[in-house]
Amino acid sequence: MQPNLKVNIGKLELKNPVMVASGTFGYGEEFAELYDISKLGAVVTKGISLKPREGNPMPRVIETPSGMINAIGLANVGVEVFLKEKMPFLRKAQATVVVNIFGESVEEYVAVALKLEGTTGIAALELNISCPNVAAGGACFGTDPGTAEMVTRTVKKVTSFPLIVKLSLQVTNIAEMAGAVAGAGADAISLINTIPAMAIDARTRRPVLANVTGGLSGPAIKPIALRMVHEASKAVNIPVIGVGGIMNGTDAIEFLLAGASAVQVGTANFVRPTAAPDIISEIRSYLLEEHFDSVNRIIGQLQI
Amino acid sequence: MKETEAQVAYKEIDGEKYFRLGLKTGWNEFVAGQFVMLEVPSGGTLLRRPFGIVKLAGGVLEICIKVVGKGTSAISLLQPGQTVSVLGPLGTGFSVQKEKDTAVLIAGGYGVAPLFALAASLSGQKKIIFYYGAKRSADLLYLDGLKSLGVELRLATEDGSAGEKGLVTERIEKEMSGFEGAAFFACGPEGLLSAVSKLAARDNVPTQVSLERYMACGIGVCLGCVVKMKDGSYQRACREGPVFDSEVVLWD
Ligand SMILES: Cc1cc2nc3c(=O)[nH]c(=O)nc-3n(C[C@H](O)[C@H](O)[C@H](O)COP(=O)(O)OP(=O)(O)OC[C@H]3O[C@@H](n4cnc5c(N)ncnc54)[C@H](O)[C@@H]3O)c2cc1C
Ligand SMILES: Cc1cc2nc3c(=O)[nH]c(=O)nc-3n(C[C@H](O)[C@H](O)[C@H](O)COP(=O)(O)O)c2cc1C
Ligand code: FES
């Protein structure tokens, strides 16, 4: 018998636990040339803001040992163009769509959420709180539990979609942060986002990226992400979505064991464009080999 | 766009730094100027590496690689019979206007790759003048192939070991007259491309350039490879490019 791959993220049921991470899949069009994107647990879109953003100057990316650093600068088409030009394609492709949103103020988060309200084909929102809060002098929304709680509570009030809050890594206590957003009404949390990092060119004596710093992703961050997912899932009762350096089925299983109800595949999409569908089959094979009839049987089943 | 596990059909070393790889992709179509993202064999690097398509014959794709770092070194160890994943053809290639009867192709270094493909596709239809510059004669690749395509070769090397001594753009500047009915197509280091586009703008010669950017995904999803346009917008080198009209690009 084929094992059951369905998982629940709050009231949202996913076909399987494999989502693709924001910023590594565009709005789905390119990957749809390679495979049927409706087979994915969900497609998380590139982060959407109220107005279009051009992003940072070049260079924006650099490979580092077992990873890469990006400073794209949250470039995106803006919510209006997203609704008019990107959503119809995702609907037609029958993808399960999670719209990742961000803002530079609480008002902007609310405005984006309101514009998305009532749109058919959206399964959930994911709140990226790893971005600077202009009103607070550019401090990240996600570094202070009080601010994170406030953004979550405010957006939750105006949206009818399930709300996933994507946590920033720049916190002293991940359990406290997870607890704060869960208390504010988040339906799930996802972690981790990229880790602040930099690369220097010794010959030119300059930073490699025009933005000086960027976010580290890929296999290099997996052990950190696993630890964070493990701690966060012990701290809260809402589902946790594991992200960070997942390259294959075994990596995904490790996150599920650590307590994640689903995973997101990011940088791996660049390395092997079929990484996400491959991971779905690899999870299925693992369950068959280990005689589990459902993926839910391994979630949080880490033996300590 | 396809992802294909391709067997290495052949590997030919060309000088100290260059080698050509033939890959059995089974593909049958591409536009000159398009490229592939090649998986780097294990132990090399995480991300794929971009290379221009030189030719595609009988399903065998040829690329020409200069060894410059970790990824290209690891790829250079591939042996015939081994397999490697190839993603492509990617990007927007050259588009050729019918009304121009002369095509002036301008290559620097491994920029010859997409221009060889372009010369092959135009051969017999247009007069092709092929400017080709490099540091020294050993770095000039595909000369026999270009000759057999019937192009008019105009070489320049910095050390004078082949063609004229100096930069290829200096040679073009000297010979600029008589390009009224021509269009330029250029690929090479950014300095060469920006010099070519200045000359072209001065004399109103329509020009397409193939730009190189560091690429993470190669398929348009990461937004890591963008090129700044004169209107202030950014376009993706891997999707809207790598070939752009030189007049819309913001040169610095
Ligand atoms: C569209 C496109 C087509 C290309 N076609 C060819 C081709 O036909 N033949 C060929 O030999 N090369 C080509 N390149 C360049 C080639 O992709 C790089 O040389 C290669 O990725 C370097 O990998 P590496 O791991 O060996 O170098 P790394 O170890 O990553 O870096 C070594 C050095 O090369 C520089 N470098 C790395 N990547 C790039 C890049 N994308 N552009 C410019 N400099 C870079 C680094 O800054 C560093 O100085 C092309 C690039 C693009 C974007
Ligand atoms: C190029 C790039 C762009 C990204 N853009 C976003 C974004 O817009 N919003 C967001 O919440 N996360 C963004 N991320 C973070 C990823 O969604 C993911 O959290 C992170 O890369 C870790 O996973 P990985 O190691 O599997 O890539 C981006 C990551 C990369 C590599
Ligand atoms: S390399 Fe990723 S968008 Fe061009």
Side-chain angles (χ1 to χ4, degrees), chain B:
Chain B
M1 158 176 44
K2 283 199 195 94
E3 190 202 350
T4 305
E5 275 301 318
Q7 201 177 51
V8 177
Y10 55 86
K11 180 172 83 173
E12 292 162 0
I13 314 281
D14 200 328
E16 278 167 43
K17 287 239 149 96
Y18 291 92
F19 66 99
R20 290 187 292 264
L21 267 191
L23 300 164
K24 291 185 197 165
T25 55
W27 302 349
N28 46 34
E29 264 184 3
F30 80 105
V31 177
Q34 286 189 305
F35 66 99
V36 296
M37 289 295 279
L38 192 69
E39 169 199 16
V40 176
S42 61
T45 63
L46 177 69
L47 299 171
R48 289 169 180 257
R49 295 292 189 261
F51 301 101
I53 301 175
V54 180
K55 52 181 136 169
L56 180 59
V60 178
L61 176 106
E62 183 168 307
I63 53 180
C64 166
I65 299 179
K66 181 180 185 184
V67 177
V68 298
K70 262 201 202 150
T72 46
S73 307
I75 295 167
S76 75
L77 301 177
L78 276 173
Q79 296 302 332
Q82 289 182 306
T83 60
V84 63
S85 164
V86 197
L87 179 66
L90 302 171
T92 307
F94 293 102
S95 66
V96 178
Q97 293 161 302
K98 293 204 178 58
E99 61 272 21
K100 302 285 176 192
D101 48 23
T102 304
V104 179
L105 278 50
I106 304 160
Y110 56 74
V112 70
L115 293 177
F116 183 92
L118 183 64
S121 75
L122 298 178
S123 177
Q125 296 168 39
K126 281 184 200 289
K127 178 175 169 163
I128 304 170
I129 299 174
F130 202 110
Y131 282 97
Y132 189 2
K135 285 218 164 57
R136 54 206 174 103
S137 66
D139 294 337
L140 293 166
L141 313 167
Y142 290 102
L143 292 184
D144 292 342
L146 287 168
K147 278 177 206 146
S148 65
L149 290 173
V151 311
E152 183 185 327
L153 264 180
R154 298 186 184 177
L155 306 176
T157 50
E158 286 170 39
D159 68 357
S161 52
E164 284 201 7
K165 186 172 160 90
L167 296 175
V168 72
T169 42
E170 292 165 356
R171 175 158 188 188
I172 299 167
E173 187 161 15
K174 264 191 277 170
E175 300 171 355
M176 255 321 256
S177 59
F179 288 154
E180 290 79 26
F184 285 173
F185 303 88
C187 184
E190 195 105 348
L192 177 142
L193 299 180
S194 110
V196 166
S197 64
K198 270 201 203 96
L199 291 176
R202 193 189 67 192
D203 289 14
N204 268 322
V205 186
T207 298
Q208 290 170 40
V209 291
S210 178
L211 291 173
E212 200 175 296
R213 287 291 179 274
Y214 199 95
M215 291 181 175
C217 72
I219 62 174
V221 299
C222 75
L223 308 181
C225 66
V226 295
V227 177
K228 189 139 196 165
M229 301 287 126
K230 282 202 180 114
D231 67 5
S233 71
Y234 282 118
Q235 306 238 324
R236 297 167 294 184
C238 70
R239 199 81 179 172
E240 288 80 37
V243 176
F244 292 97
D245 277 331
S246 78
E247 58 188 20
V248 300
V249 172
L250 181 70
W251 299 96
D252 43 31

Side-chain angles (χ1 to χ4, degrees), chain A residues 195-280:
Chain A
I195 301 177
M198 75 184 288
I200 292 173
D201 184 330
R203 292 287 165 192
T204 61
R205 295 182 280 283
R206 296 170 67 85
V208 174
L209 301 178
N211 190 53
V212 183
T213 61
L216 180 65
S217 65
I221 71 170
K222 195 191 92 176
I224 301 171
L226 266 179
R227 196 265 297 176
M228 297 293 232
V229 164
H230 180 55
E231 288 185 3
S233 71
K234 282 194 299 187
V236 294
N237 289 322
I238 56 173
V240 172
I241 301 166
V243 201
I246 297 175
M247 305 304 284
N248 53 47
T250 310
D251 291 340
I253 303 275
E254 290 170 19
F255 276 87
L256 298 174
L257 289 169
S261 298
V263 295
Q264 292 179 4
V265 177
T267 302
N269 292 311
F270 306 160
V271 178
R272 192 165 41 123
T274 55
D278 291 351
I279 289 171
I280 299 173

